[in-house]
Amino acid sequence: MLIAVAWLNRYLAPPGLTADEAVAALERMGFPIESREDHADAGAVLDVEITSNRGDGMSHIGLAREVAAATGRRLVRPVIPFDPETGPGSRTEASEVFSLENRAPEACPRFTARVIRGVKVGPSPPWLVEALESIGQRSVNNVVDVSNFVLFEYGQPTHTFDLSTLRGSTIVVRWARDGERLAALDGRSHRLTPDELVVADAERAVSIAGVIGGAETAVTERTTDVLLEAATWSPAVVRRMARRLRITTDAGRRFERLVDARTIDEPAARAAALILEIAGGELLAGVVEAGAPPAPRREISLRPRRADRILGVVIPPAEIVEHLRALEIDARADDAGERIACVAPPHRPDLTREVDLIEEAARVHGYDRVPIGERLEVEVRPLQREERTEREIAQTLAGLGFFETVTFSFVTREEAARFMPPGMRPLCVDEERRRGEPALRPSVVPSLLRVRRVNADAGAADGVRLFESASVFAQIDGGTTIENRNLALYMDAPDAQRGWRQMRGVIEVVARAAGGPAARVEVEPAAPVFPACRADGFAGVRIGGEHAGYMALLTDEALARASVDTPAVVAELNLPLLRSLDPGARRVTPTPAFPAIERDLSVVVDEAVAWSAIESAARGAQPALLEDLRFVGVYRGKQIGAGKKSVTLRMIFRDPERTLRHEEVDPQVAQTLAALER
């Protein structure tokens, strides 16, 4: 933001602020100076860095307020020689000349308009030209220059229309029609979409709301009647339109940072008064406006003792009140000095909490007056359980030979489609710089495949294992955006059966790292959800009875499209679910004092029978003294028969008090066999 020191002095009493004093005051208040230029005619011009939450600083009055608070000066506002609402006393009402309709109050909280008839458009007076040129602005004509001057004076963009060019003598704030075009002041014709907001007359769009005006309704030397607009727009809507249309304007930059609807009237009246002074004419009575009711002013309570504790220095309550009032924050301390009731001004939407007010008091008081302690007292607290769980998962995976990756969130549309759940569509951005990869990934697996390809190009052999915790995105057909955080796992699997079993083992270890030894994992074969997964290699994963994700073998086509030539098994688990598991207290048990008895059972079942069903049936028999039940292997062959398989499971029995005899476990084995037969 370019600031002319001579211009800044217009709003300070006493004036006479030097460039060096301005630099010192602004930097003390937290506004770094990017550069400084001294001109023989215009004086010093400062390039001030403005953070995104301080839109009020993008004006000379806004920074004059900061300088006044820092230097003890008084802020002097411009004098408006008439009532901002009624005007100087015209008998004609503005509402008799044109009508206004706001069809999008959610995106245009407030739209106001005034009418000035009989203006004489021509060159601007020297003082106005010099003021604009001092900050790099080009003079156009006296009416347009006033609009630009008020923009840099107050930070409130205004726009002037040639009233005679507005068809139907009406203004309509509405969403654009699909394919509607507007010839803008930048010399380009823009094709609009239905999610873009426009100011229109009875037939066509005449301005892109908050971004740029239209050429056909611009004020020229032939203009005699002017419609002066002052409005505010949704920052998100302005930002989206400006990026898609690739239009950067001073007005748009301010609307992107939020212009409060309650701050419109004074700068609009100032613009009208300057037009009357410079271009003549008659200001019609009244203000035509439409929009939603303004939000109530925000009340915040500040505790001086809390401020003292945070800052490390005692500032008396009366002094805190003085500091806040210097920034036009309404502040009143109670009789005991225990609380200060504050009301945030409309130009400071960033003030929402007590700590924000404490920061404001500290800025005015001066950070250089806050003593620096010789020691910094730090209170060490344990990690939150969710953070501790995520670290434990990462350490466990590293111990299993996995390497953590950090990848970019965007993928191509084709990559997104291969991992898109049914009933959903990719969430894409519409920007030129993301033309090749516009989709936010619906799965982390495409990103892991890219990492695997890079490793292959670098000569990595088989056996690569990768994991990443990252957000995934999608949209339901109705337009609702879904975001979740997943833990994605990738393993090379030249032997599909072995890779599948290893991945299941990894999932079980991860579940126990998060939820303790009692965490139970169930893997159920299912039809593949994603096109990139094999029909014979997809399963849903449940942890603790809740759906937690999936594991899958990738198809040859998906691997080939990713330029990966090694078969792979992948898994994605719901990270919030894993983080919510409670491992409980860690218990250490002594090594068993007595040996166990192991019995292997091989059961011949149909090919479609899953291990989870066999395990459930065996455990459901509740054999006494059963310590563990494990999967051993699967055999298929002529001896078994077509469509059949032999599944071997191992039952481990142990008595913690004595040595078991084989005949003591025979009844339990028979009981389990009977349950399996049933």
Side-chain angles (χ1 to χ4, degrees):
M1 171 70 187
L2 293 179
I3 293 292
V5 175
W7 192 344
L8 200 67
N9 271 298
R10 295 170 182 262
Y11 316 108
L12 295 173
L17 183 79
T18 67
D20 291 339
E21 289 173 334
V23 169
L26 289 171
E27 289 187 336
R28 172 188 163 184
M29 297 296 286
F31 293 90
I33 307 301
E34 292 287 321
S35 64
R36 168 181 170 177
E37 294 183 6
D38 294 297
H39 304 280
D41 52 349
V45 176
L46 309 178
D47 188 357
V48 185
E49 180 182 332
I50 310 294
T51 55
S52 60
N53 67 324
R54 290 300 304 274
D56 64 294
M58 300 188 73
S59 66
H60 283 77
I61 289 180
L63 292 182
R65 183 186 298 111
E66 299 288 325
V67 171
T71 62
R73 285 174 165 83
R74 181 169 54 87
L75 179 68
V76 179
R77 293 180 175 276
V79 176
I80 301 170
F82 52 80
D83 187 315
E85 294 187 2
T86 60
S90 173
R91 295 182 179 180
T92 306
E93 293 282 341
S95 58
E96 299 174 14
V97 176
F98 80 101
S99 61
L100 170 64
E101 181 182 2
N102 186 352
R103 299 178 186 173
E106 72 284 358
C108 176
R110 189 167 178 230
F111 188 101
T112 69
R114 292 166 168 81
V115 173
I116 305 174
R117 293 196 300 195
V119 301
K120 183 174 178 57
V121 178
S124 295
W127 71 265
L128 181 53
V129 175
E130 290 170 5
L132 292 175
E133 289 183 347
S134 69
I135 57 171
Q137 297 296 309
R138 178 179 61 88
S139 175
V140 179
N141 58 54
N142 50 8
V143 173
V144 174
D145 287 355
V146 164
S147 181
N148 288 334
F149 180 83
V150 171
L151 167 65
F152 293 102
E153 182 179 49
Y154 280 91
Q156 168 66 55
T158 59
H159 186 69
T160 52
F161 296 93
D162 184 334
L163 184 60
S164 66
T165 63
L166 295 176
R167 298 170 185 171
S169 298
T170 187
I171 286 288
V172 180
V173 179
R174 60 171 172 81
W175 298 103
R177 305 183 186 101
D178 192 17
E180 188 172 12
R181 303 199 74 91
L182 173 70
L185 291 172
D186 61 359
R188 295 187 294 162
S189 176
H190 299 280
R191 185 179 183 276
L192 305 177
T193 59
D195 63 344
E196 290 168 342
L197 196 66
V198 298
V199 178
D201 58 18
E203 301 176 9
R204 60 193 169 151
V206 296
S207 173
I208 301 174
V211 179
I212 196 169
E216 295 181 356
T217 56
V219 172
T220 67
E221 287 74 9
R222 297 185 299 274
T223 301
T224 57
D225 297 340
V226 172
L227 185 143
L228 175 64
E229 167 214 318
T232 184
W233 315 94
S234 163
V237 172
V238 173
R239 190 179 303 115
R240 183 178 66 239
M241 294 190 299
R243 289 184 177 181
R244 192 191 77 82
L245 298 172
R246 290 179 293 171
I247 302 175
T248 301
T249 60
D250 292 304
R253 279 194 289 267
R254 283 157 179 80
F255 285 127
E256 288 178 13
R257 288 164 173 78
L258 180 61
V259 173
D260 193 283
R262 295 164 294 182
T263 63
I264 291 175
D265 294 327
E266 183 181 344
R270 167 70 164 166
L274 285 175
I275 291 174
L276 294 177
E277 175 187 335
I278 295 171
E282 177 192 16
L283 176 64
L284 302 192
V287 179
V288 181
E289 64 176 287
R297 297 182 68 182
R298 187 182 301 111
E299 296 184 1
I300 311 169
S301 180
L302 186 152
R303 295 163 292 175
R305 289 186 181 180
R306 177 66 174 164
D308 297 343
R309 181 180 177 187
I310 289 178
L311 299 178
V313 61
V314 176
I315 306 177
E319 192 173 335
I320 293 177
V321 170
E322 183 181 341
H323 292 336
L324 296 177
R325 287 179 177 175
L327 295 171
E328 297 188 342
I329 299 170
D330 186 2
R332 292 179 176 81
D334 60 16
D335 294 337
E338 295 292 329
R339 286 187 179 272
I340 300 174
C342 304
V343 179
H347 62 267
R348 291 297 302 276
D350 58 305
L351 301 180
T352 59
R353 305 169 297 168
E354 179 185 39
V355 72
D356 297 331
L357 297 178
I358 294 173
E359 180 184 3
E360 296 304 293
R363 288 197 308 122
V364 179
H365 184 74
Y367 287 121
D368 56 331
R369 297 173 61 188
V370 177
I372 300 176
E374 295 181 359
R375 295 188 309 174
L376 178 64
E377 296 184 3
V378 178
E379 182 180 354
V380 180
R381 297 183 179 181
L383 290 172
Q384 293 181 336
R385 179 170 58 84
E386 292 82 0
E387 295 293 330
R388 190 169 61 248
T389 298
E390 194 163 344
R391 286 194 183 186
E392 183 70 24
I393 290 172
Q395 292 173 356
T396 299
L397 289 169
L400 293 172
F402 283 79
F403 288 87
E404 185 171 12
T405 70
V406 179
T407 56
F408 203 40
S409 299
F410 287 93
V411 295
T412 66
R413 291 181 183 272
E414 292 74 19
E415 288 174 314
R418 289 196 289 274
F419 290 90
M420 183 60 61
M424 298 186 185
R425 54 189 174 87
L427 180 63
C428 297
V429 296
D430 188 14
E431 294 189 22
E432 290 296 326
R433 64 175 179 265
R434 294 247 54 88
R435 183 178 296 177
E437 298 173 345
L440 283 164
R441 58 188 173 194
S443 165
V444 191
V445 173
S447 303
L448 297 184
L449 285 170
R450 290 186 180 186
V451 176
R452 180 62 184 95
R453 182 180 66 230
V454 171
N455 278 266
D457 294 342
D462 295 339
V464 173
R465 296 185 173 194
L466 307 169
F467 80 95
E468 181 170 348
S469 300
S471 294
V472 295
F473 309 84
Q475 273 191 332
I476 301 177
D477 290 337
T480 303
T481 300
I482 296 176
E483 178 181 352
N484 193 41
R485 193 162 176 82
N486 286 357
L487 170 66
L489 307 169
Y490 173 95
M491 284 177 51
D492 285 344
D495 183 327
Q497 274 291 343
R498 184 179 180 186
W500 185 268
R501 290 177 59 185
Q502 288 177 336
M503 180 60 81
R504 171 169 179 154
V506 168
I507 294 173
E508 290 180 344
V509 173
V510 166
R512 288 168 185 161
R520 184 167 178 76
V521 175
E522 301 171 70
V523 177
E524 301 174 353
V529 176
F530 309 123
C533 300
R534 283 171 45 174
D536 61 344
F538 187 90
V541 176
R542 301 178 71 85
I543 299 177
E546 294 189 46
H547 178 70
Y550 72 92
M551 58 180 293
L553 294 167
L554 298 182
T555 64
D556 293 339
E557 180 186 3
L559 292 168
R561 287 182 176 273
S563 300
V564 174
D565 55 7
T566 303
V569 58
V570 298
E572 272 190 289
L573 304 176
N574 186 319
L575 191 58
L577 173 62
L578 292 173
R579 293 178 58 169
S580 69
L581 298 177
D582 186 2
R586 301 281 183 177
R587 288 189 175 87
V588 177
T589 57
T591 303
F594 300 96
I597 292 179
E598 298 181 356
R599 292 288 181 89
D600 287 358
L601 298 180
S602 295
V603 294
V604 178
V605 294
D606 292 337
E607 186 66 54
V609 176
W611 160 252
S612 57
I614 298 173
E615 181 186 24
S616 177
R619 290 186 182 275
Q622 299 180 343
L625 302 176
L626 179 68
E627 182 181 81
D628 199 6
L629 181 68
R630 300 176 182 172
F631 173 83
V632 176
V634 177
Y635 174 77
R636 297 175 177 85
K638 295 181 179 179
Q639 301 92 327
I640 303 299
K644 299 286 186 179
K645 62 184 176 183
S646 174
V647 180
T648 301
L649 60 147
R650 180 165 296 157
M651 304 178 69
I652 302 174
F653 298 91
R654 192 192 307 271
D655 191 321
E657 304 295 336
R658 60 186 178 84
T659 300
L660 281 176
R661 298 192 304 275
H662 283 276
E663 57 269 21
E664 290 182 282
V665 302
D666 289 341
Q668 284 86 336
V669 175
Q671 176 184 346
T672 303
L673 279 171
L676 291 171
E677 285 180 334
R678 288 195 299 271

